[in-house]
Amino acid sequence: MLITVVATEPWRSGTYFEGAFDGVVITKALLSGVAAVTAWFLVRTRPRLTVPAWPAILVALYLSITVFGGWAEDALLSSTVIAVRVLILIAIVNLLLSGYDGYSVMAGLVGALATVAAVSVLTGGLRPSDGRLAGGIPPLHPNEIAAISAVAILWLLYRATNGRENAVDLVVLTLAGTALIASGSRTSLVMILPAAAVLVLTARRFHLRVFIPFVLSLPIVAFGLLYSDALTGALTRDGSSDDIGSLSNRTIAWQSALMPKSSEWQTWLGGGLTLKQIEVPGQWWSHQILDSSWVSALVQGGYLGIVTCLALIVYGVYRVARLPGELRGFRLALILFLSLRGILESGLFDASTAFLTCFTALALPDVSPARRSALASPDRHSTPSFMWQPSHTTTSRENVRSIKNRLLVAGNLLALGLVIAGLVNFFAPRSYQSSATLYATAAGRLLRAADIYQGTMMVSARMATYVELATSPVVLNGVIEDLGLDETAVDLAERVSATNPPGTAVITVTATDPDPGQAQLIAAAMATKFDQLVPGLEAGTGTAPQVDFKAIEPAQAPIAPTSPDPLRNIAIGAAVGGALGLVALLWPLARIAASPDGQLRLILLGPMADRLDPGAVRIVGDLESVARTQQTPMLTTGAEQ
């Protein structure tokens, strides 16, 4: 896997293979051959395991489509070379999976990715231009470093949620998380969240050494998300104007990709795997890189190609979720992460580490080797056996004790939610709000009813404009100058607001600040500056001001903070803790067992499941009931009755 990853990662930044053979291309080809031969050498004497063929078939179909598309666009050689590289990756993965269990293969892949990324980061560093973490040898792009870090994080979370973690994992997890944030990749940072949620929800068991730190970290995470600018700064890259339009630039290329093609052949079969850029008409630049795996699949393989890629992912998720097998939760999380990341990043259907990782997750055997041997047992169609077997028959006293223990756990989880809410209320920074209300009337003396009506309509028509002016830079700059604030109008605009209740001629300006006195000063200064601004603007048009503003409620110093909201936080803590407690209380009522034929069965008997006869199983879905093979009369005494 290490040789494969080294041969797959880019050795030069900003270059794409277009058919020219040089030293780098030849060396990477030789390394790929060495990796394939090594994989064959490792598994040649080992017992062979069956590897699913459908991922390789679908990928081969997609490659065939792109080769035909490249042939039509006079790029047959380059498209064929890239297709062969992808086929070599498929062969390496299938060879390793035919001789080793899926956990070992996936662990080798993640370890190889992390090793290459670590060397790249140590030989690289933060880029002077934008401060993002980039690689040196090999010159990995920050987005590639982020993707590898996310894969490592998901792998470590899988180990932690399945009882395989150790002390080294915590160190590696910290380093991977730091690299993910330092890379500045917003796509990987956002897409890892749903993948991690899937991983946690599909976890088999949590040890206390994992569960307790996880619970204790919740208030820190909540504080970082709700009351810190860390997440906002990471997503906006601290407000860098150079990156704000990156998504807009991507959509320009996507729109060009969706435009009608020059021929039906290109529409259905694409232009080949070497097509990395597309013409963008109407811009000051002529070509742009396709920063999307899915859009690239449409351009490189046409409609047939993108349908094949969708079938690969959708059917892969269906197979992984449906059948019991190794690493099911991790595979689902990994496929979800790479598929979502592919919306804004390239390489998912190319000779890249993203494809190598995704294909490995798809090609893992659907059933583990241990499970496969159990399925091959001679008595597989006789009395069912289960992954979970009771060690002894429980008594009523033990059932009562079990219920009491679960009630205790549920109560502790509820109390823990309330404690976390209390900690958030205690440690969260306070913010105060102060408001000033202005009433707008038509200027001048309005004696006739018609004048009063016209003046009222004029004021109503302008209220939306006045609301915008109340928080405009002209007003806020005046407030900053009068109060001597050490911030810009943009920063102040995030802490002030202006509203106009529908159907009224009232404007309320509100200011928020950690200091209640400062909040009052800002609100009062906003009302004053706004009252001075409107006459000046209307006088500049050559007419007298037509609207007067009168303060009907001056700004007051707030007494109680507006945030945090103690009642809301306590309600959220109680709801989350109560929900977790309810899950802990009811989870034993739904025990999952698997029969030797691979069918999942749900036992709905709670504590009495320990006394369940294996010959009578209630199957969810068809509610099939298997009759007991032996009937034993039950003799009870009067006292027992």
Side-chain angles (χ1 to χ4, degrees):
M1 277 301 183
L2 183 60
I3 300 173
T4 305
V5 171
V6 171
T8 306
E9 290 287 9
W11 290 12
R12 294 173 293 194
S13 59
T15 59
Y16 301 98
F17 178 73
E18 297 179 352
F21 292 91
D22 55 16
V24 172
V25 174
I26 295 175
T27 304
K28 294 180 70 174
L30 292 176
L31 282 178
S32 298
V34 170
V37 173
T38 305
W40 172 82
F41 180 81
L42 290 174
V43 302
R44 75 187 193 284
T45 59
R46 297 179 63 87
R48 293 301 178 92
L49 304 175
T50 302
V51 180
W54 59 267
I57 293 175
L58 289 176
V59 174
L61 177 60
Y62 171 71
L63 296 177
S64 301
I65 294 172
T66 59
V67 168
F68 278 106
W71 171 62
E73 296 297 321
D74 295 329
L76 177 60
L77 177 61
S78 56
S79 297
T80 304
V81 170
I82 298 179
V84 171
R85 290 184 58 191
V86 177
L87 290 176
I88 292 176
L89 296 180
I90 294 175
I92 294 172
V93 172
N94 284 343
L95 279 173
L96 292 176
L97 289 176
S98 67
Y100 293 89
D101 63 282
Y103 184 89
S104 299
V105 175
M106 188 59 71
L109 174 58
V110 176
L113 290 172
T115 302
V116 173
V119 173
S120 180
V121 168
L122 292 176
T123 56
L126 299 178
R127 297 192 305 195
S129 58
D130 53 9
R132 300 180 64 186
L133 183 64
I137 303 175
L140 297 184
H141 190 273
N143 293 342
E144 181 68 15
I145 294 176
I148 295 177
S149 301
V151 172
I153 291 173
L154 292 176
W155 176 254
L156 295 174
L157 288 178
Y158 163 77
R159 286 174 53 84
T161 55
N162 287 270
R164 295 175 178 263
E165 77 287 345
N166 53 43
V168 179
D169 288 355
L170 181 60
V171 178
V172 179
L173 181 62
T174 304
L175 295 177
T178 304
L180 175 60
I181 297 175
S183 67
S185 175
R186 295 167 292 189
T187 302
S188 297
L189 185 62
V190 172
M191 300 310 177
I192 196 177
L193 299 179
V198 169
L199 191 58
V200 173
L201 292 176
T202 56
R204 292 183 177 180
R205 60 184 181 272
F206 284 90
H207 286 173
L208 286 179
R209 60 178 179 267
V210 175
F211 182 75
I212 293 177
F214 172 75
V215 172
L216 294 179
S217 66
L218 291 179
I220 301 176
V221 174
F223 177 82
L225 294 178
L226 299 177
Y227 303 104
S228 174
D229 296 333
L231 181 61
T232 304
L235 294 178
T236 61
R237 293 176 186 161
D238 296 325
S240 174
S241 59
D242 296 334
D243 295 317
I244 294 176
S246 60
L247 181 59
S248 176
N249 292 337
R250 283 187 171 99
T251 57
I252 293 174
W254 299 351
Q255 292 172 0
S256 299
L258 295 174
M259 293 175 62
K261 305 300 186 295
S262 58
S263 64
E264 290 295 324
W265 190 277
Q266 190 177 18
T267 300
W268 290 96
L269 299 178
L273 290 175
T274 55
L275 189 56
K276 308 293 185 182
Q277 303 182 19
I278 191 172
E279 294 184 2
V280 284
Q283 305 296 330
W284 60 268
W285 62 93
S286 59
H287 291 76
Q288 187 171 326
I289 298 175
L290 292 169
D291 287 325
S292 172
S293 296
W294 296 102
V295 177
S296 297
L298 176 62
V299 174
Q300 297 170 353
Y303 289 153
L304 295 179
I306 193 170
V307 169
T308 305
C309 294
L310 284 172
L312 174 68
I313 298 300
V314 173
Y315 187 65
V317 172
Y318 169 75
R319 292 281 297 181
V320 173
R322 179 174 176 268
L323 298 178
E326 288 182 306
L327 308 169
R328 177 166 52 180
F330 175 71
R331 294 168 67 187
L332 288 174
L334 189 59
I335 296 171
L336 177 64
F337 168 74
L338 293 174
S339 301
L340 294 178
R341 177 182 176 269
I343 299 175
L344 297 175
E345 301 290 347
S346 300
L348 183 56
F349 307 108
D350 204 342
S352 64
T353 54
F355 169 78
L356 176 64
T357 307
C358 185
F359 182 81
T360 305
L362 293 170
L364 284 177
D366 297 320
V367 182
S368 64
R371 189 70 184 138
R372 185 180 293 107
S373 61
L375 294 177
S377 59
D379 58 343
R380 56 173 298 186
H381 295 294
S382 59
T383 304
S385 61
F386 301 92
M387 290 189 297
W388 168 80
Q389 290 284 358
S391 58
H392 63 283
T393 302
T394 60
T395 63
S396 299
R397 181 176 301 177
E398 290 175 334
N399 290 331
V400 172
R401 186 184 303 112
S402 175
I403 295 176
K404 288 182 178 180
N405 291 337
R406 292 198 300 275
L407 287 174
L408 180 61
V409 172
N412 289 337
L413 289 173
L414 176 61
L416 181 61
L418 295 175
V419 169
I420 293 176
L423 293 175
V424 171
N425 289 333
F426 183 79
F427 289 104
R430 269 55 176 169
S431 61
Y432 298 83
Q433 284 187 351
S434 179
S435 301
T437 304
L438 302 174
Y439 177 68
T441 59
R445 299 180 63 186
L446 303 178
L447 301 178
R448 296 184 303 172
D451 295 336
I452 296 175
Y453 176 76
Q454 292 179 357
T456 302
M457 295 301 296
M458 181 267 297
V459 171
S460 299
R462 295 188 177 186
M463 290 306 297
T465 302
Y466 292 143
V467 169
E468 295 295 328
L469 290 175
T471 56
S472 63
V474 178
V475 173
L476 298 183
N477 284 328
V479 173
I480 293 173
E481 182 178 356
D482 290 348
L483 300 181
L485 302 179
D486 186 17
E487 57 184 329
T488 63
V490 177
D491 298 331
L492 183 59
E494 298 178 355
R495 302 190 291 112
V496 298
S497 63
T499 58
N500 167 235
T504 68
V506 173
I507 292 181
T508 301
V509 293
T510 304
T512 304
D513 195 88
D515 184 3
Q518 189 75 351
Q520 177 190 12
L521 292 176
I522 294 175
M526 284 182 61
T528 302
K529 287 297 179 182
F530 173 69
D531 192 16
Q532 297 172 356
L533 172 67
V534 174
L537 291 176
E538 296 185 348
T541 61
T543 61
Q546 299 180 4
V547 178
D548 287 335
F549 288 93
K550 298 179 181 179
I552 60 176
E553 185 179 344
Q556 302 291 335
I559 300 176
T562 56
S563 67
D565 188 347
L567 294 179
R568 184 194 66 179
N569 292 338
I570 290 176
I572 293 176
V576 175
L580 293 176
L582 187 63
V583 171
L585 182 62
L586 299 181
W587 178 251
L589 298 181
R591 291 187 177 179
I592 297 178
S595 61
D597 57 3
Q599 187 175 16
L600 292 180
R601 296 174 176 179
L602 190 62
I603 305 173
L604 303 175
L605 298 180
M608 296 300 295
D610 290 343
R611 305 178 65 178
L612 180 68
D613 189 303
V617 180
R618 189 173 187 176
I619 303 176
V620 174
D622 53 10
L623 299 179
E624 178 184 343
S625 179
V626 181
R628 294 177 181 266
T629 57
Q630 296 180 353
Q631 296 292 338
T632 304
M634 180 178 295
L635 302 177
T636 57
T637 63
E640 289 175 338
Q641 292 176 353

